């Protein structure tokens, strides 16, 4: 029975759904002689969708692979007084009867897995223990994936800041105002004539240029 049970994680709705695969009724007494252990856990009103048209659940089963992939499935739903208030589970099998019985075991397991602690029969306790182990593994994988995603985002942000071009700045902008003034004065002094003869020549050249 434990090999025929898994927990699906739905990315969009952020749900964890117990899924049970029933290939043969003889695989577990919970399908036959001890089915009453399952039935007594179920609420009075359960809705069933046997269309296999839920795309997100179908994708999760495809990801699971093996006998779960491309299989027909039934989705069972019921209202609860824990969690989000609605619990769903999945029954997988090659005919309606098998899917229905697998779905009942799946939703009973979900009630015990996500709901309050109850005193249950050993046959169900073994199934729930396995479901807890599978759920724990999936949650660990989710946490690791989120950690790596956050680390990647931080690295991308740091890289963008490193590669961002800095605005060009004039060399004169780095100098204090008094330094710029001193440099201008020095340039003016350097360009002025230094002897009377040179001053006269400069004046003559200026007069010629104006004519």
């Amino acid at each position: 029975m434990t090999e025929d049970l898994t927990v699906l994680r739905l990315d969009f709705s952020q749900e964890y759904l117990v899924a049970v695969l029933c290939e043969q009724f003889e695989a577990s007494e919970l399908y036959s002689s001890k089915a009453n252990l399952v039935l007594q856990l179920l609420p009075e009103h359960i809705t069933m969708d046997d269309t296999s048209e839920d795309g997100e659940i179908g994708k999760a089963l495809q990801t699971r692979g093996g006998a779960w992939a491309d299989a027909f499935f039934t989705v069972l739903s019921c209202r609860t007084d824990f969690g989000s208030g609605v619990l769903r589970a999945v029954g997988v099998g090659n005919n309606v009867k098998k899917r229905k019985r697998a779905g009942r075991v799946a939703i009973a397991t979900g009630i015990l897995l996500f709901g309050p602690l109850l005193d249950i029969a050993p046959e169900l306790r073994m199934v729930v223990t396995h479901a807890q182990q599978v759920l724990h593994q999936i949650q660990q994988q989710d946490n690791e994936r989120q950690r790596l995603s956050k680390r990647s985002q931080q690295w991308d942000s740091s890289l963008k800041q490193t590669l961002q071009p800095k605005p060009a700045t004039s060399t004169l902008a780095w100098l204090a105002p008094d330094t710029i003034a001193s440099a201008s004065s020095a340039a003016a002094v350097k360009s002025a004539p230094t002897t009377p003869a040179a001053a006269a020549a400069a004046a003559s050249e200026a007069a010629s240029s104006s004519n």
Side-chain angles (χ1 to χ4, degrees), residues 75-114:
V75 181
L76 284 76
S77 307
C78 69
R79 293 195 173 276
T80 67
D81 55 1
F82 57 84
S84 65
V86 176
L87 179 68
R88 298 198 297 167
V90 181
V92 178
N94 58 13
N95 62 51
V96 176
K97 193 173 182 179
K98 289 180 180 179
R99 292 194 291 274
K100 185 175 181 179
R101 294 194 185 184
R104 285 173 175 172
V105 174
I107 203 162
T109 303
I111 290 171
L112 296 171
L113 181 63
F114 301 113

Side-chain angles (χ1 to χ4, degrees), residues 48-66:
M48 298 181 62
D49 177 5
D50 192 52
T51 62
S52 298
E53 292 181 351
D54 189 305
E56 194 173 14
I57 292 178
K59 181 180 177 181
L61 291 171
Q62 284 279 352
T63 302
R64 182 68 175 79

Side-chain angles (χ1 to χ4, degrees), residues 65-180:
W68 303 92
D70 299 319
F72 291 102
F73 60 89
T74 295
V75 181
L76 284 76
S77 307
C78 69
R79 293 195 173 276
T80 67
D81 55 1
F82 57 84
S84 65
V86 176
L87 179 68
R88 298 198 297 167
V90 181
V92 178
N94 58 13
N95 62 51
V96 176
K97 193 173 182 179
K98 289 180 180 179
R99 292 194 291 274
K100 185 175 181 179
R101 294 194 185 184
R104 285 173 175 172
V105 174
I107 203 162
T109 303
I111 290 171
L112 296 171
L113 181 63
F114 301 113
L117 295 177
L118 299 174
D119 186 20
I120 57 176
E123 293 86 353
L124 275 173
R125 187 179 299 115
M126 181 176 63
V127 174
V128 174
T129 299
H130 177 68
Q132 288 173 332
Q133 294 171 350
V134 175
L135 177 63
H136 180 66
Q137 291 175 355
I138 293 175
Q139 289 175 332
Q140 282 187 320
Q141 293 171 359
D142 288 345
N143 292 337
E144 179 65 13
R145 185 162 48 246
Q146 291 173 3
R147 186 186 69 82
L148 292 176
S149 176
K150 184 177 181 180
R151 184 175 180 180
S152 176
Q153 291 174 359
Q154 291 174 341
W155 188 86
D156 288 344
S157 176
S158 176
L159 182 62
K160 288 179 181 179
Q161 291 178 356
T162 302
L163 297 179
Q164 186 175 4
K166 296 180 179 180
T169 306
S170 171
T171 304
L172 291 179
W174 298 345
L175 302 176
D178 55 345
T179 305
I180 298 175

